[in-house]
Amino acid sequence: MNKRNILITGGAGFIGSHAIRLFVNKYPDDHIINFDLLTYAGNLENLRDVDAKSNYSFVKGDIMSEAEVEKAFSDFDISHVIHFAAESHVDRSITDPLAFLRTNILGTVNLMQVAKKHWRENGNHCFYNISTDEVYGSLGDTGLFLESTSYDPQSPYSASKASSDHFVRAYANTYGFPVKISNCSNNYGPNQFPEKLLPLMIHNILNKRPLPVYGDGTNIRDWLYVVDHVEAIENIFSNGRLGETYNIGGDNEIKNIDLVRSLCRLMDEELGREVGESEKLITFVKDRPGHDKRYAIDASKIKNELGWTPRYTVDEGLKSTIQWYLSNKDWLEHVTSRKYQEYYKEQYGA
Ligand code: NAD
Ligand code: TYD
């Protein structure tokens, strides 16, 4: 096989950093180029263990900049793209929707424009868009999201991701551009920025701060350990068919309040606190505007076609996530401290 130069955007973020680690280790003969702007959510500390590998390069760049993307394509002769870079938090999209429109829609189209210019027909190229199950909207008490479910995004975040998926399919249809898409459920695991539910709760439990549960806590998400997600991505990248979409999920529907209670119990055990101590921190707060009620994925296509199934149960995934945060309190402190953010800005100009 010819050597591949794989551009992974957003590789300093949560899921992207796990993907970089998997690809760098699994494909020593390929070159993995991490293209990341290092926003508040991107952190090169996530990649310390792969930093020195000879088949890995980091480029600080903005997916919205034609010149910066163009330079990366020319410098590294990019043959494949796996596109993670995004604004990823629903609550932020409610306060600043334009940032989501710019990064998630304009950024994706800009990347494809540059790739289209560089890539030859039949050149074994692939543009793989990493997307979310939130594009399908919100479910009632029953039903699952299938690949054929109509898009019905309800938040500015999911609207921007849905739009990027539409552009990706439009490029395939109009220009014969080689694409793949996957839509995954909620991820959790090491390196997740403590604005998302689980790391935020872990951070607050450690610091004995209130645990804000939105509304009555009965909203349901389908949880998947991040390592399972990046293994599914690697499988789709290697074996999935061009032009196809694959849903990825863990068959782990859990109400927010039940998940937070389980986390409290596990954290009490780990921290040697009295059972029930952390649960006392749970505080029901005003609901998120337009809060989607339930997400649930039917992952039978990827299971039947590509043989992927998740390896981690929620219990195993939660325990290993908690262990990671407890062993990496400095990471949590760094990403939440303003001082560190300033230092980081000086170091990396981000
Ligand atoms: P994240 O917020 O942790 O990381 C995003 C990364 O993108 C950061 O490293 C950031 O620096 C980078 N970035 C942001 N704007 C950029 C720009 N203009 N140019 C270059 N880099 C930029 O996100 P995540 O949770 O790892 O999500 C990664 C992808 O997976 C996103 O596309 C998201 O929509 C999708 N996804 C996430 C989940 C989830 O549960 N987190 C589930 C399904 C799909
Ligand atoms: P989140 O991690 O933001 O992911 P998403 O909104 O993309 O699913 O939130 C997961 C669920 O947890 C969602 O139903 C909102 C809820 N939530 C809280 O109850 N409290 C919080 O502090 C946060 C961040 C989320």
Side-chain angles (χ1 to χ4, degrees), residues 11-14 16-18 20-21 34 36 38-52 56 58 190-193 324 327-337 339-345 347-348:
F14 166 48
S17 60
H18 289 273
I20 295 261
R21 180 169 302 106
N34 176 10
D36 197 299
L38 300 179
T39 67
Y40 78 95
N43 186 347
L44 291 175
E45 276 185 71
N46 296 347
L47 289 163
R48 270 188 191 143
D49 54 325
V50 293
D51 218 15
Y56 169 75
F58 171 70
N191 297 135
Q192 189 170 32
F193 194 83
W324 186 85
S327 320
N328 289 276
K329 288 192 190 131
D330 56 336
W331 182 95
L332 257 182
E333 242 169 65
H334 287 168
V335 301
T336 51
S337 101
K339 234 180 173 172
Y340 183 75
Q341 301 270 359
E342 280 162 13
Y343 155 80
Y344 196 71
K345 201 169 186 171
Q347 288 279 308
Y348 301 108

Side-chain angles (χ1 to χ4, degrees), residues 180-196:
K180 293 178 187 177
I181 297 176
S182 58
N183 297 83
C184 187
S185 60
N186 285 61
N187 283 217
Y188 66 98
N191 297 135
Q192 189 170 32
F193 194 83
E195 62 184 356
K196 306 274 168 50

Side-chain angles (χ1 to χ4, degrees), residues 1-7 23-24 27-33 53-57 75-81 119-120 123-126 237:
M1 201 203 301
N2 287 340
K3 179 183 168 193
R4 300 174 300 186
N5 298 315
I6 306 170
L7 188 81
F23 277 80
V24 165
Y27 297 110
D29 297 332
D30 290 328
H31 191 174
I32 311 302
I33 299 99
K53 299 262 169 124
S54 59
N55 65 332
Y56 169 75
S57 301
D75 287 353
F76 294 100
D77 190 20
I78 299 301
S79 56
H80 296 70
V81 174
W119 287 352
R120 286 170 287 114
N124 188 31
H125 301 296
C126 175
F237 181 76

Side-chain angles (χ1 to χ4, degrees), residues 71-312:
K71 185 167 183 334
F73 266 75
S74 303
D75 287 353
F76 294 100
D77 190 20
I78 299 301
S79 56
H80 296 70
V81 174
I82 309 178
H83 177 36
F84 290 88
E87 287 294 338
S88 67
H89 193 211
V90 173
D91 291 328
R92 284 179 190 260
S93 82
I94 293 168
T95 48
D96 188 6
L98 280 176
F100 284 68
L101 185 157
R102 289 189 203 101
T103 303
N104 299 357
I105 307 176
L106 286 178
T108 303
V109 177
N110 184 49
L111 275 172
M112 289 196 293
Q113 275 297 95
V114 175
K116 184 160 76 66
K117 205 175 107 191
H118 278 257
W119 287 352
R120 286 170 287 114
E121 246 179 75
N122 307 320
N124 188 31
H125 301 296
C126 175
F127 185 97
Y128 180 178
N129 200 40
I130 304 301
S131 193
T132 165
D133 62 352
E134 302 189 26
V135 298
Y136 298 121
S138 180
L139 289 165
D141 290 339
T142 57
L144 300 170
F145 296 136
L146 289 160
E147 286 81 359
S148 56
T149 302
S150 296
Y151 277 25
D152 187 19
Q154 300 292 316
S155 73
Y157 164 67
S158 54
S160 69
K161 292 295 291 186
S163 178
S164 79
D165 287 353
H166 286 321
F167 268 103
V168 170
R169 290 200 184 93
Y171 267 58
N173 180 60
T174 310
Y175 309 113
F177 192 64
V179 306
K180 293 178 187 177
I181 297 176
S182 58
N183 297 83
C184 187
S185 60
N186 285 61
N187 283 217
Y188 66 98
N191 297 135
Q192 189 170 32
F193 194 83
E195 62 184 356
K196 306 274 168 50
L197 180 71
L198 277 168
L200 181 130
M201 295 296 172
I202 291 172
H203 184 240
N204 287 10
I205 290 170
L206 277 172
N207 294 291
K208 299 193 177 179
R209 290 203 198 127
L211 308 178
V213 173
Y214 299 163
D216 61 4
T218 59
N219 300 65
I220 291 172
R221 298 293 182 262
D222 178 356
W223 294 92
L224 186 69
Y225 191 54
V226 64
V227 171
D228 282 324
H229 186 193
V230 296
E231 287 179 3
I233 288 170
E234 191 279 319
N235 193 332
I236 292 167
F237 181 76
S238 302
N239 308 310
R241 287 175 291 150
L242 279 179
E244 290 291 317
T245 292
Y246 297 88
N247 280 352
I248 307 170
D251 280 332
N252 287 316
E253 285 185 55
I254 309 177
K255 283 186 187 140
N256 292 341
I257 186 65
D258 294 339
L259 185 64
V260 173
R261 287 202 175 114
S262 300
L263 181 74
C264 287
R265 280 193 287 276
L266 291 170
M267 291 280 290
D268 282 346
E269 266 172 42
E270 284 295 331
L271 294 167
R273 291 183 186 167
E274 205 178 295
V275 178
E277 196 178 328
S278 298
E279 266 197 53
K280 288 188 198 139
L281 299 168
I282 292 175
T283 311
F284 291 93
V285 298
K286 193 165 170 286
D287 209 355
R288 171 188 280 171
H291 194 175
D292 287 344
K293 188 69 189 171
R294 172 172 168 259
Y295 304 143
I297 282 270
D298 180 333
S300 39
K301 180 174 173 181
I302 184 173
K303 284 179 188 162
N304 296 337
E305 195 178 311
L306 304 178
W308 172 87
T309 47
R311 287 196 290 127
Y312 291 84

